Structures are given as structure tokens and as C-alpha cells.
Amino acid sequence: MEQIEHKYVEVNGLKLHLAETGSGNSPVVVFLHGFPEIWYTWRYQMIAVAKAGFRAIAPDFRGYGLSDQPPEPEKTTFLDLANDTLALLDALGISKAFLIGKDFGSAVISLFILLHGERVSGFITMGVPFLPPQPFKYTEYLPEGFYISRWREPGRAEADFGRLDAKTVVRNIYILFSRSEIPIANEKQEIMDIVQPSTPLPPWFSEKDLETYGALYEKSGFQTALQVPYRSLLEQANFTDPRVHVPALFIVGEKDYFLKFPGVKDYISGGLKSLVPNLQMVNLPEGTHFVQEQLPDEVNQLVLDFLTKNSQS
């Protein structure tokens, strides 16, 4: 990762950490991570797009990784993250960029583009599609042991995670989220109990990767990460016209557990295209929730094809 440089940028009163590679005069690609990810989740894509002539920037959201904690993590919202993204572009003198997001990073992109569409050349989402801000309804028909239901409850995840070191928490979440089934605990379990200590990591996720994530979460903790996305899901804005017309790509792994959420497949096959008419969708048959780390070569090619096509148009 020696090609990737690190810096801090003052944004809305906080120092945000960002990783960067590529020429400063090139078209800009901003990568927005999900959970339990950090900038590091984009390591393969950053190097690939930089080699192809783009400038890659991957920040840690406020409260994540090496970025500052907000003064009141429990009040952090998706709007804060969208505002940070805008302020970051301004601080770096970037008038327009491609945005690439994964998991709840896709939700940040959705909000950002509805607020600041003139700053977006095009966008790619992975795992979670473009979602206009609305009350989060996907938990309505799931049992009490559903992981989001548990993590939305103040104090419960803190107690669950607090039994383990940060590295083990990240390990367990990567294992759970790499499966094709939604993580659901029984009434005698907490979410961390679902994974046995002997369960191996996914084959594409190394011990070195885990060490990196573990060290970053040792620094940041999980307080902001539990607030956004999990406890701020219902904190949303309304837009009279939630359609976006810039070029877009949605990359989804067919084994992604998110597809099991009620209503998600219907939305992807139906309403999504009406909201994003210039959307291309690509299914990766073996892909799980972490396609960008699991299948970097395939994802990199899709990303480069999209960026090359739409930076020349």
C-alpha cells in the first residue's frame, strides 16, 4: 500500500483522515465506506483507478478509523456525513467527482446527490442500491434477534461488543456479513455469540487485513459506528423529486444477505430504475456483501469501464 498517501483535512470542525493516490490533476473518485469498514476496504480499487489515470480519495467518516470523533457521537446523522463529504470536496478544491459507496456509504451518496447533484459526475453503489431518504422499513417483518434490531437498542451492542477486543468484533462481523443469510440471534444469544471462535475468516480476508481493521477500531471504538448507520436509520429527510439522472452503476453480489431484507429484491427489480434512469446493474453470482474485497479483479474492471466511459462523455 506504499502508493497510498495519508493526510488529515479540517472539515466542519473535525480532522478527517483520508487516504489518497493518483495525480492531483486527474478526474476525482471519492470512495465512501460502510460498516465495519474503513478507508482500507477500498485498497484494491484505489490502486486500480489511480493506475488508470484517476485520483482516488477515501476518507474515514467522522468517528471512524483515524478521523476525529464528533463531540456528541450519539447525535451523528447521515446528513452530517453528507455535509462532511461536501466540505471535503470544497477543502480539496474539487468541483465535481465520481462517488463510489458500499453498504451505508451508498445511503450517504443517495442523500448527497439529492442535495448536491451538480457536484457528482456519476456514482457507483455496491451491496446497497441508491435509496432515497425514507423511514427504514426493512426490519418490520424480522424477528427480535435481527442484528439491526439488536444494535438499534441503546447499550445492547456496546455490552455485546465490550466482552471482546475490537479485532474479534470486526472478525465476527466480517464472518456474519459474508454469509448469504441475515444475522439473527436466538433469545439466549447476543449477535457476537452467533460466531464460534473456531470459525475461519472468509478466504479472501487475511489475518493482516483483520489486524489493520482491528487496530483502527481500537482507536475509534464503535460508538459512532453504532449511531450511523444503525441508530439514525429513521432520521431521514423527504424530497419531492428523488430521481437522479447522472450515470450510475449498481454492483450486487447474488449471495449478499442484504437481498434477503423484505422488499429489497422488489425495489431493485422495480422502483430503482425509475429513480435512477441512467442505471446499469451488474450481478456477480458468487458475490457476497463485500464484493470489492472478495472479488477485486471483477469489481475493478467494472469500476474502470464505468469511469472511463463516463469521464469521456
Side-chain angles (χ1 to χ4, degrees):
M1 298 296 151
E2 63 276 359
Q3 306 100 311
I4 296 176
E5 299 178 349
H6 298 266
K7 65 174 68 172
Y8 291 86
V9 178
E10 188 84 19
V11 166
N12 293 327
L14 301 172
K15 286 185 179 179
L16 294 192
H17 166 260
L18 61 89
E20 182 173 2
T21 186
S23 170
N25 297 320
S26 301
V28 176
V29 185
V30 177
F31 294 88
L32 301 179
H33 64 79
F35 176 77
E37 298 148 325
I38 307 285
W39 76 266
Y40 183 78
T41 193
W42 299 114
R43 57 200 180 278
Y44 301 120
Q45 287 71 46
M46 291 182 70
I47 292 171
V49 303
K51 287 181 177 178
F54 295 87
R55 178 184 178 191
I57 299 170
D60 290 339
F61 284 127
R62 59 168 61 196
Y64 278 80
L66 299 175
S67 290
D68 282 352
Q69 289 288 338
E72 297 180 288
E74 71 280 4
K75 295 183 179 179
T76 303
T77 68
F78 278 94
L79 184 58
D80 289 325
L81 305 188
N83 288 339
D84 287 349
T85 303
L86 177 65
L88 181 65
L89 293 180
D90 289 343
L92 296 174
I94 298 167
S95 60
K96 206 167 187 178
F98 290 97
L99 301 182
I100 300 181
K102 155 74 181 16
D103 188 63
F104 84 84
S106 300
V108 176
I109 287 178
S110 301
L111 182 56
F112 183 91
I113 196 171
L114 289 169
L115 291 170
H116 310 291
E118 74 284 356
R119 305 295 293 271
V120 181
S121 301
F123 69 95
I124 301 173
T125 58
M126 302 180 198
V128 174
F130 172 86
L131 284 172
Q134 60 185 331
F136 193 79
K137 299 178 179 179
Y138 302 127
T139 64
E140 289 180 356
Y141 307 106
L142 291 165
E144 185 276 334
F146 175 45
Y147 78 99
I148 291 181
S149 301
R150 292 284 182 90
W151 290 352
R152 283 183 59 78
E153 184 180 330
R156 188 159 189 170
E158 286 87 340
D160 186 17
F161 291 7
R163 299 176 295 153
L164 307 167
D165 59 61
K167 177 181 171 182
T168 303
V169 172
V170 174
R171 170 189 173 274
N172 289 354
I173 295 172
Y174 255 85
I175 290 170
L176 288 173
F177 286 10
S178 296
R179 295 172 178 173
S180 60
E181 299 300 324
I182 297 171
I184 296 175
N186 64 43
E187 61 182 16
K188 297 181 180 180
Q189 289 178 315
E190 295 299 332
I191 300 301
M192 290 293 102
D193 296 327
I194 301 175
V195 181
Q196 297 300 314
S198 60
T199 304
L201 287 167
W204 42 265
F205 193 74
S206 70
E207 285 290 340
K208 180 183 177 182
D209 295 333
L210 181 58
E211 290 282 353
T212 300
Y213 278 107
L216 291 169
Y217 274 101
E218 285 286 353
K219 189 269 181 189
S220 68
F222 294 95
Q223 188 174 9
T224 305
L226 288 168
Q227 174 62 21
V228 181
Y230 301 106
R231 293 170 187 167
S232 56
L233 286 172
L234 295 176
E235 175 276 318
Q236 301 284 2
N238 292 314
F239 292 88
T240 55
D241 184 4
R243 291 173 297 177
V244 298
H245 296 281
V246 298
L249 171 65
F250 176 41
I251 302 173
V252 60
E254 292 187 13
K255 295 182 179 179
D256 190 330
Y257 76 91
F258 182 72
L259 296 176
K260 302 285 181 67
F261 282 33
V264 167
K265 285 186 176 180
D266 289 340
Y267 170 68
I268 290 172
S269 61
L272 175 59
K273 188 70 174 179
S274 66
L275 294 175
V276 192
N278 293 323
L279 176 70
Q280 174 191 3
M281 285 189 277
V282 177
N283 294 311
L284 299 179
E286 296 303 314
T288 65
H289 193 59
F290 299 101
V291 288
Q292 80 285 6
E293 294 183 279
Q294 176 196 7
L295 302 169
D297 292 341
E298 292 177 60
V299 169
N300 288 354
Q301 191 59 58
L302 292 169
V303 167
L304 291 174
D305 289 348
F306 176 86
L307 294 176
T308 301
K309 175 184 176 182
N310 292 293
S311 63
Q312 296 172 347
S313 59

